[in-house]
Amino acid sequence: MYLENINSPADVKKLGITELDSLAKEVRHFLLQKLSDHGGHIGPNLGMVEATIALHYVFNSPEDKIVFDVSHQSYTHKMLTGRKDAFLNPKDYDDVSGYTEPSESAHDHFVIGHTSTSVSLACGLAKGRDLQQGTENVIAVIGDGSLSGGEALEGLDMAAEIGTNLIIIVNDNQMSIAENHGGLYHNLQALRDSNGTCACNLFRAMGLDYLYVNEGNDISALIEAFLQVKDTDHPIVVHINTLKGKGYSFAEEQKERFHWGFPFVIETGETKKEYQFGPGFGDFTADLLIAEMKKDPRVVALTAGTPGIWGWTPEKRKEAGKQFVDVGIAEETAVAMSSAIAKRGGRPVFGVHSSFLQRTYDQLSQDLCINNNPATIVVFGGTLCGLNDVTHLGFYDICLMGNIPNFVYLAPTCLAEYEAMLRWAIQYTEHPVGIRVPNVSLSATNDTTPEKSYDQLNRYQITREGSEIAVIALGSFYSLGCQVVEAYKEKGIHATLINPRYITGLDTDLLSSLKTNHHTVITLEDGQLDGGFGEKIARFYGDSDMKVRCYGARKEFVDRFDYNEFLKSNHLTAQQIVND
Amino acid sequence: MYLENINSPADVKKLGITELDSLAKEVRHFLLQKLSDHGGHIGPNLGMVEATIALHYVFNSPEDKIVFDVSHQSYTHKMLTGRKDAFLNPKDYDDVSGYTEPSESAHDHFVIGHTSTSVSLACGLAKGRDLQQGTENVIAVIGDGSLSGGEALEGLDMAAEIGTNLIIIVNDNQMSIAENHGGLYHNLQALRDSNGTCACNLFRAMGLDYLYVNEGNDISALIEAFLQVKDTDHPIVVHINTLKGKGYSFAEEQKERFHWGFPFVIETGETKKEYQFGPGFGDFTADLLIAEMKKDPRVVALTAGTPGIWGWTPEKRKEAGKQFVDVGIAEETAVAMSSAIAKRGGRPVFGVHSSFLQRTYDQLSQDLCINNNPATIVVFGGTLCGLNDVTHLGFYDICLMGNIPNFVYLAPTCLAEYEAMLRWAIQYTEHPVGIRVPNVSLSATNDTTPEKSYDQLNRYQITREGSEIAVIALGSFYSLGCQVVEAYKEKGIHATLINPRYITGLDTDLLSSLKTNHHTVITLEDGQLDGGFGEKIARFYGDSDMKVRCYGARKEFVDRFDYNEFLKSNHLTAQQIVND
């Protein structure tokens, strides 16, 4: 086995072409072993095996700097840069992250997890090099799906200005997470169909030189191309045509399903039983919207390249037809379009992950909220206990969306309340509305019948009347609020429990009334404390005798953390709160 | 005079070509009259006179919907849609805003002020129309300078997917605010040089149909082109070649200076005396950086298409040479590049207006702060009393940048402190640093010698020792803090005054120590309260006996407000604070 002896790219360079082909087979074998056992990004990595081997054969990492876009396709890179054990030995699987990570290796230059950043980052590395008379190659590796993102297109435009060595590998596997959307993909097809000779060329139109490699999974062809551009004195795109999921028939055939996956049975492609989930809030939302679409042609669902995160399977997308819009990876455009659809009388619902919504602060503020158009934004994964890669934390949407004027951001506590709020939002026409999908099981309940209308803004709901201490428990943390109230009960204190429902406003009447028979207010929020919900309560009571304690996450970036330990370290268990 | 009788686009349609040419002359005359007297966007409006007349001659606004990018070029549109008095009569000049404004007219569909949004908004209007079987034309008007912005490029890519009527007028005047930067501008030139026939075509590469009009200031040629695309059944770009500043020789020759300007003498082009400012923080910064660049080749200044806001005149840009980078209107890329330049050992300083920084929350968080690269971001216009158009408010940068982990956001109170912090930031290598340029005069002082090092984070500075009441006065509001302390003095209270310096962290030792002989803390910040600095202080003291009152702006969008009235309405005068 060759892989056992690969401790750095220098060991790759020692091999001949036939041996590199064997190495590719071994890499693919171990990728499949780990992915089937551990889960992860399947198709993107299987498609990039040969290109990654060729990159390390031709270039001299880490002096030459390779920046992987999203970096979800960097597993082979990790295997070839001293981290093979994390792929060969099941016990070491968790020694590496799923993305590039400078703390793991000098061959990784950035922590990356969001799409469309690699070209702009590579522009910066090239500029930094040029300021200091460096001579290394700078290489960005970006997938076709990521190209539609604003930052990537800005980067392509800027790359030409760099004017010196900058190599952009466009890994064209003809897929985003789902199918691609956007006009530029017709140009990529024309380029592939013409073996790169089509005169109309997006990359050349951006001022860049261009080279096409049709056999993007052929190591020899790739080495030849990379040797051709190595040490180039100007920016150039190398457009390689690859097969997503290459070498694993199920992944080649079901590209969307095998983009990312839980552990699966290699022989059948089936997801292993213990990881099968029942339907969740996403499925519920897609089904509800499809039913609404049938009643009202103005209802339209939007996604920015991530239909799967909210239940929009290919079948459901087909069923929704023109009432489902995938803008591709282009969150800014999704928000702007939602605003304008609402302006023109449509009823848009944009579903997005908390972490990816971060791309749209300006669009939320300017395109949507200043214009006060009644679009609905459904935020998934906004919780401390969701994705736990540092690049995908759902900690920040409360701070981000909760402080924009005109915006109504709601925090339902359970499915019934979520449904009521979503149905209301689709009909509401006074303001843009956000709904933070709670991180609770579908069977959770807050023991009250949710109201149908939320027109009268910023009304909190007292769900348990008490005295001395009031617990204001936002969204997913309502159940923690219940536990806190129960724990106080054991201490003989009958605390009040409040479901605030509105993240973006204070129920000043209710808060003032608490002063009569409460001395302490406790706020609980499933997000970062800084800039969040609790601080507004603290400010409100700042000049009164009411004591306020805010619970949520302290301001820090955390990576691949254990949920229970993380909650404990932030004093987010009922017992800790009561003991405080 | 024709203009007197233009009360709606219907009146434009009654005129013949010769009369329309006369109308253009009149429009241009009154534009110059108002602009020279009142200030505003000069070049962009002078260049768009003919195209706007032709648009209203051919299309049926407001049924047909025209979306102007940035909308700083919409003055002629306003004159032709019932708002001519605001251009003909000096006493009515302020009756209209400088941007499109739906509350003024049904012909305006969005409040717009940031660049690069029109195409995505138009996509939404078209989608909303199609959901409801509408038949109107949807037209986006976007300048070449705005094309480099991520949202615009996303929008162009998405436009092809709309598949129905959507007309994108690219107003190519070969300028951004300053000169254009980016590879795509070479393609625009190739298209102009080939009369639109160049086979390599950015717009066609984005999947769009395309029509070129070389005489973009010729009403007949424009009418012919617009008639050709009116009621089209698919998305199409109409690329028109216009002259920025057309018809006013000074503006034609000095395009950057006359992009936007204070009132000027028509005959000489000189800025009227009463509006001439001395040098400000921007000039100071550019000069300081040029001096640093000469000592250290690693120092590099970055702008995203707005060099003028921080003193980078054409002469100074030339002097800085390769150590000045204009990425074009592409704020996301500017932040990503800054991070990567720092990673590669450079010392980048990105200067940006508070309002435009909003475009980069995700890049600040992901590309910069998760990676913890030591780039410096200098934020201009972050104040309640800066630009007062609703689209350009500098209220939100504290909330936006103040809550991101790893980020050190500093608030100097005066020039000397700003200089010390900037010099320190350029050398600092532990974290990314932001500096909020204070909105104070260059001669303001906080009566202390600023420290040279800010390495030890989150240390507040007591500048006046007192008791009972402590005033924590952030950045620009330090002088307000002085006034509050003085006002208390008159009441016999010797209050403590604190310059917190660090927006992003609490000096917990100092804050705790205040408890011994203070009963009240007052926080003052020159920004929005929600998500801001004061709320963190309120949370800190939440469970103590310390009373906290936070002063800043309430959460609301305000437009063209009077500073004094606005400050009063937010209780931001010393007398109001002391009376509270």
Side-chain angles (χ1 to χ4, degrees):
Chain A
M1 191 165 76
Y2 297 101
L3 190 51
E4 280 175 332
N5 299 311
I6 304 288
N7 294 308
S8 81
D11 297 321
V12 177
K13 293 182 210 298
K14 291 175 191 161
L15 303 179
I17 292 293
T18 321
E19 294 165 313
L20 292 174
D21 284 337
S22 299
L23 176 64
K25 282 199 186 74
E26 293 171 16
V27 165
R28 193 164 269 120
H29 169 79
F30 283 102
L31 280 176
L32 260 185
Q33 288 299 321
K34 176 169 178 178
L35 286 162
S36 64
D37 189 44
H38 183 271
H41 281 99
I42 303 157
N45 281 295
L46 291 174
M48 271 293 289
V49 173
E50 288 80 10
T52 310
I53 290 173
L55 280 170
H56 282 297
Y57 184 84
V58 171
F59 295 101
N60 298 310
S61 177
E63 287 72 30
D64 290 337
K65 293 175 174 49
I66 309 170
V67 183
F68 290 92
D69 205 89
V70 196
S71 74
H72 62 318
Q73 78 291 61
S74 62
Y75 296 2
T76 301
H77 165 76
K78 294 199 176 197
M79 289 165 96
L80 304 181
T81 53
R83 288 168 279 180
K84 64 178 187 308
D85 290 349
F87 296 86
L88 299 181
N89 306 329
K91 71 175 174 49
D92 301 329
Y93 279 171
D94 283 325
D95 285 358
V96 296
S97 80
Y99 303 95
T100 53
E101 175 54 68
S103 68
E104 284 176 13
S105 168
H107 295 271
D108 293 7
H109 307 286
F110 299 99
V111 184
I112 298 179
H114 283 196
T115 65
S116 312
T117 70
S118 60
V119 181
S120 299
L121 289 171
C123 285
L125 288 182
K127 184 71 196 176
R129 173 200 63 203
D130 293 347
L131 289 169
Q132 298 167 88
Q133 277 78 50
T135 57
E136 75 268 22
N137 289 276
V138 174
I139 304 125
V141 177
I142 183 166
D144 52 326
S146 288
L147 285 180
S148 60
E151 189 176 347
L153 290 164
E154 283 185 358
L156 285 178
D157 181 45
M158 182 59 201
E161 288 259 325
I162 295 296
T164 52
N165 176 286
L166 179 57
I167 298 161
I168 301 166
I169 314 285
V170 174
N171 170 32
D172 181 357
N173 62 23
Q174 295 106 70
M175 280 293 284
S176 185
I177 298 172
E179 73 283 359
N180 280 314
H181 287 274
L184 74 85
Y185 296 100
H186 299 289
N187 188 244
L188 294 193
Q189 184 172 343
L191 288 167
R192 291 193 306 271
D193 290 349
S194 65
N195 201 30
T197 63
C198 177
C200 189
N201 178 318
L202 174 70
F203 306 106
R204 290 194 187 278
M206 288 288 200
L208 298 163
D209 198 1
Y210 176 84
L211 180 66
Y212 180 72
V213 182
N214 193 53
E215 303 298 330
N217 291 101
D218 180 311
I219 293 181
S220 299
L222 291 162
I223 288 177
E224 191 187 325
F226 294 161
L227 282 172
Q228 201 175 329
V229 299
K230 187 182 179 183
D231 299 324
T232 175
D233 64 358
H234 63 278
I236 183 166
V237 167
V238 183
H239 178 187
I240 67 175
N241 177 29
T242 65
L243 179 61
K244 192 166 183 172
K246 167 84 176 174
Y248 181 54
S249 63
F250 294 108
E252 289 183 13
E253 283 155 24
Q254 302 172 58
K255 291 189 173 69
E256 182 173 346
R257 201 192 131 207
F258 279 93
H259 173 80
W260 184 92
F262 290 106
F264 54 93
V265 180
I266 294 183
E267 293 71 24
T268 64
E270 283 171 18
T271 300
K272 286 183 183 168
K273 259 202 182 128
E274 60 262 46
Y275 286 90
Q276 275 183 341
F277 292 135
F281 278 83
D283 304 276
F284 177 86
T285 308
D287 290 340
L288 184 152
L289 288 177
I290 286 174
E292 288 299 308
M293 286 169 181
K294 287 178 180 165
K295 286 186 282 180
D296 185 346
R298 300 172 309 154
V299 175
V300 56
L302 293 98
T303 184
T306 52
I309 63 158
W310 59 311
W312 288 97
T313 59
E315 297 71 33
K316 288 181 189 175
R317 288 167 358 224
K318 199 173 164 195
E319 194 177 351
K322 298 265 184 197
Q323 285 170 275
F324 186 85
V325 177
D326 185 346
V327 301
I329 290 174
E331 292 85 359
E332 302 174 52
T333 286
V335 169
M337 271 190 75
S338 297
S339 175
I341 290 171
K343 171 73 182 179
R344 182 55 181 78
R347 307 304 305 141
V349 180
F350 172 39
V352 59
H353 189 277
S354 165
S355 183
F356 304 146
L357 186 68
Q358 294 180 187
R359 308 218 132 172
T360 70
Y361 178 85
D362 197 53
Q363 289 71 31
L364 290 169
S365 174
Q366 299 268 326
D367 294 331
L368 183 60
C369 291
I370 285 180
N371 284 286
N372 207 16
N373 289 326
T376 300
I377 298 184
V378 182
V379 181
F380 291 83
T383 172
L384 300 176
C385 299
L387 297 178
N388 70 356
D389 293 293
V390 66
T391 48
H392 289 72
L393 303 176
F395 295 10
Y396 308 108
D397 56 278
I398 293 179
C399 166
L400 199 74
M401 296 177 89
N403 296 308
I404 303 176
N406 283 348
F407 196 67
V408 178
Y409 196 20
L410 299 172
T413 56
C414 62
L415 181 67
E417 194 170 34
Y418 170 67
E419 178 180 355
M421 287 174 171
L422 181 58
R423 289 188 185 283
W424 168 79
I426 296 171
Q427 301 301 328
Y428 186 60
T429 56
E430 298 297 308
H431 291 289
V433 172
I435 306 178
R436 192 175 205 241
V437 177
N439 183 22
V440 299
S441 81
L442 286 183
S443 59
T445 166
N446 78 358
D447 293 325
T448 66
T449 306
E451 291 180 37
K452 288 194 172 167
S453 168
Y454 299 84
D455 282 10
Q456 201 186 320
L457 300 180
N458 307 329
R459 289 167 304 109
Y460 296 179
Q461 181 188 27
I462 293 178
T463 54
R464 216 179 295 189
E465 289 266 12
S467 62
E468 295 189 71
I469 292 170
V471 180
I472 306 181
L474 188 73
S476 316
F477 273 8
Y478 183 78
S479 63
L480 176 62
C482 294
Q483 292 166 30
V484 171
V485 167
E486 285 303 317
Y488 273 121
K489 209 169 172 182
E490 287 170 22
K491 294 197 167 202
I493 297 169
H494 291 269
T496 296
L497 182 61
I498 295 169
N499 170 13
R501 306 188 289 197
Y502 297 83
I503 300 174
T504 34
L506 299 182
D507 187 337
T508 53
D509 290 344
L510 182 145
L511 292 176
S512 294
S513 74
L514 293 179
K515 290 179 189 170
T516 56
N517 57 343
H518 296 77
H519 54 74
T520 298
V521 164
I522 292 171
T523 68
L524 307 177
E525 65 193 292
D526 192 10
Q528 176 179 279
L529 281 167
D530 289 70
F533 172 77
E535 289 187 343
K536 289 172 214 355
I537 305 286
R539 170 160 66 90
F540 174 82
Y541 286 120
D543 59 358
S544 77
D545 290 328
M546 186 74 87
K547 301 279 185 287
V548 180
R549 280 176 178 269
C550 303
Y551 288 88
R554 76 179 76 87
K555 187 175 72 169
E556 65 176 338
F557 287 123
V558 285
D559 193 20
R560 289 166 290 151
F561 55 90
D562 175 271
Y563 298 122
N564 287 326
E565 283 174 24
F566 179 72
L567 293 175
K568 262 188 209 163
S569 85
N570 279 286
H571 275 229
L572 284 169
T573 70
Q575 212 49 58
Q576 286 174 308
I577 292 167
V578 172
N579 290 345
D580 286 347
Chain B
M1 192 165 78
Y2 298 102
L3 190 51
E4 282 177 331
N5 299 312
I6 304 288
N7 294 307
S8 81
D11 296 320
V12 177
K13 295 181 207 300
K14 291 174 191 162
L15 304 179
I17 291 292
T18 322
E19 296 165 312
L20 292 175
D21 284 336
S22 300
L23 176 64
K25 283 199 185 72
E26 294 171 15
V27 165
R28 193 164 269 120
H29 170 79
F30 283 103
L31 280 176
L32 260 184
Q33 288 298 321
K34 176 169 178 178
L35 286 163
S36 65
D37 189 44
H38 183 272
H41 281 99
I42 303 157
N45 281 295
L46 291 173
M48 271 293 292
V49 173
E50 290 80 8
T52 311
I53 290 173
L55 279 170
H56 281 298
Y57 183 84
V58 171
F59 295 100
N60 298 310
S61 177
E63 287 72 30
D64 290 337
K65 292 175 175 47
I66 309 170
V67 184
F68 290 93
D69 205 88
V70 195
S71 74
H72 62 318
Q73 78 292 61
S74 62
Y75 296 3
T76 302
H77 164 77
K78 293 198 177 196
M79 289 165 95
L80 304 180
T81 53
R83 288 168 280 180
K84 64 179 186 309
D85 290 349
F87 296 84
L88 299 180
N89 306 330
K91 72 172 174 52
D92 302 329
Y93 279 171
D94 283 325
D95 286 358
V96 296
S97 79
Y99 303 94
T100 54
E101 178 51 72
S103 68
E104 283 177 11
S105 167
H107 295 272
D108 293 6
H109 308 286
F110 299 99
V111 184
I112 297 180
H114 283 197
T115 65
S116 312
T117 71
S118 61
V119 181
S120 299
L121 289 170
C123 285
L125 288 180
K127 184 71 197 176
R129 172 199 64 203
D130 294 347
L131 289 169
Q132 298 167 87
Q133 277 79 50
T135 57
E136 75 268 22
N137 289 276
V138 173
I139 304 125
V141 177
I142 182 165
D144 52 326
S146 289
L147 285 181
S148 60
E151 188 175 347
L153 290 164
E154 283 185 358
L156 284 178
D157 180 45
M158 183 59 201
E161 287 259 324
I162 295 296
T164 53
N165 177 285
L166 179 58
I167 298 161
I168 301 166
I169 315 285
V170 174
N171 170 33
D172 181 357
N173 61 22
Q174 295 105 71
M175 280 294 284
S176 185
I177 298 171
E179 73 283 359
N180 280 314
H181 286 274
L184 73 85
Y185 296 101
H186 300 289
N187 188 243
L188 294 192
Q189 184 173 341
L191 288 167
R192 292 192 306 272
D193 291 349
S194 64
N195 201 30
T197 63
C198 177
C200 188
N201 179 317
L202 174 70
F203 307 106
R204 290 196 189 276
M206 288 286 200
L208 297 163
D209 198 1
Y210 175 84
L211 181 65
Y212 180 71
V213 182
N214 192 53
E215 303 298 331
N217 292 102
D218 180 311
I219 294 181
S220 299
L222 291 162
I223 288 176
E224 191 188 324
F226 295 161
L227 283 171
Q228 202 176 324
V229 299
K230 187 181 178 183
D231 299 324
T232 176
D233 64 357
H234 63 279
I236 184 166
V237 166
V238 184
H239 178 188
I240 67 174
N241 176 29
T242 66
L243 179 61
K244 192 165 183 173
K246 167 83 176 174
Y248 181 54
S249 62
F250 295 106
E252 289 183 13
E253 284 155 25
Q254 303 171 59
K255 292 190 172 70
E256 182 173 345
R257 200 192 131 206
F258 279 93
H259 173 81
W260 183 93
F262 291 106
F264 54 92
V265 181
I266 293 182
E267 292 72 23
T268 64
E270 283 171 19
T271 300
K272 287 182 182 169
K273 261 205 180 122
E274 60 264 44
Y275 287 92
Q276 275 181 340
F277 292 134
F281 277 84
D283 304 275
F284 176 86
T285 308
D287 291 340
L288 184 151
L289 288 177
I290 286 174
E292 290 297 310
M293 285 169 183
K294 287 178 181 167
K295 288 185 282 180
D296 185 347
R298 300 172 308 155
V299 174
V300 57
L302 293 98
T303 184
T306 53
I309 63 158
W310 61 309
W312 286 98
T313 60
E315 297 71 33
K316 290 182 188 174
R317 283 159 14 215
K318 200 174 163 192
E319 195 177 352
K322 299 267 185 193
Q323 286 171 273
F324 187 85
V325 177
D326 184 346
V327 301
I329 291 174
E331 292 85 359
E332 301 174 54
T333 285
V335 170
M337 272 190 75
S338 298
S339 175
I341 290 171
K343 171 73 183 177
R344 183 56 181 77
R347 306 304 306 141
V349 180
F350 172 41
V352 59
H353 190 278
S354 165
S355 183
F356 303 147
L357 186 67
Q358 295 179 185
R359 306 216 134 173
T360 70
Y361 179 85
D362 197 53
Q363 288 72 30
L364 290 170
S365 174
Q366 299 269 326
D367 294 332
L368 184 60
C369 291
I370 285 180
N371 284 285
N372 205 19
N373 289 327
T376 300
I377 299 185
V378 183
V379 181
F380 291 83
T383 171
L384 300 175
C385 298
L387 297 177
N388 70 357
D389 295 291
V390 66
T391 47
H392 289 70
L393 303 176
F395 295 10
Y396 307 109
D397 55 280
I398 293 180
C399 165
L400 199 72
M401 296 177 89
N403 296 309
I404 302 177
N406 283 348
F407 196 66
V408 178
Y409 196 20
L410 299 172
T413 57
C414 63
L415 181 66
E417 194 170 34
Y418 170 67
E419 178 181 355
M421 287 174 172
L422 181 58
R423 288 188 185 282
W424 168 80
I426 295 170
Q427 301 301 329
Y428 185 59
T429 56
E430 297 297 308
H431 291 288
V433 172
I435 306 179
R436 192 175 205 239
V437 177
N439 183 23
V440 299
S441 82
L442 287 184
S443 59
T445 164
N446 78 358
D447 294 324
T448 66
T449 306
E451 291 180 36
K452 288 193 173 169
S453 168
Y454 299 84
D455 281 11
Q456 200 185 321
L457 300 180
N458 307 329
R459 287 165 308 109
Y460 297 0
Q461 179 187 29
I462 293 178
T463 56
R464 214 178 296 188
E465 289 267 10
S467 61
E468 294 189 69
I469 293 170
V471 180
I472 305 180
L474 188 73
S476 316
F477 272 9
Y478 183 79
S479 63
L480 176 61
C482 294
Q483 291 166 32
V484 171
V485 168
E486 285 302 317
Y488 273 121
K489 209 169 172 182
E490 287 170 23
K491 293 198 166 199
I493 297 170
H494 290 269
T496 295
L497 183 60
I498 294 168
N499 171 11
R501 306 188 291 196
Y502 297 84
I503 300 173
T504 33
L506 299 182
D507 187 338
T508 53
D509 289 345
L510 182 146
L511 292 175
S512 294
S513 74
L514 293 178
K515 290 179 190 170
T516 56
N517 58 341
H518 296 77
H519 55 73
T520 297
V521 163
I522 292 171
T523 69
L524 308 176
E525 66 195 291
D526 192 9
Q528 176 178 278
L529 281 167
D530 290 69
F533 172 77
E535 289 187 344
K536 287 171 215 356
I537 305 286
R539 171 160 64 91
F540 175 82
Y541 286 120
D543 59 357
S544 78
D545 290 328
M546 185 75 87
K547 301 279 186 289
V548 180
R549 281 175 177 271
C550 302
Y551 288 88
R554 77 178 76 86
K555 187 176 72 170
E556 65 177 338
F557 286 123
V558 287
D559 194 19
R560 287 167 290 151
F561 55 90
D562 177 270
Y563 299 122
N564 288 325
E565 283 175 25
F566 179 72
L567 293 175
K568 262 187 207 162
S569 85
N570 279 286
H571 275 229
L572 284 168
T573 70
Q575 212 49 59
Q576 286 175 308
I577 292 167
V578 172
N579 290 344
D580 285 347

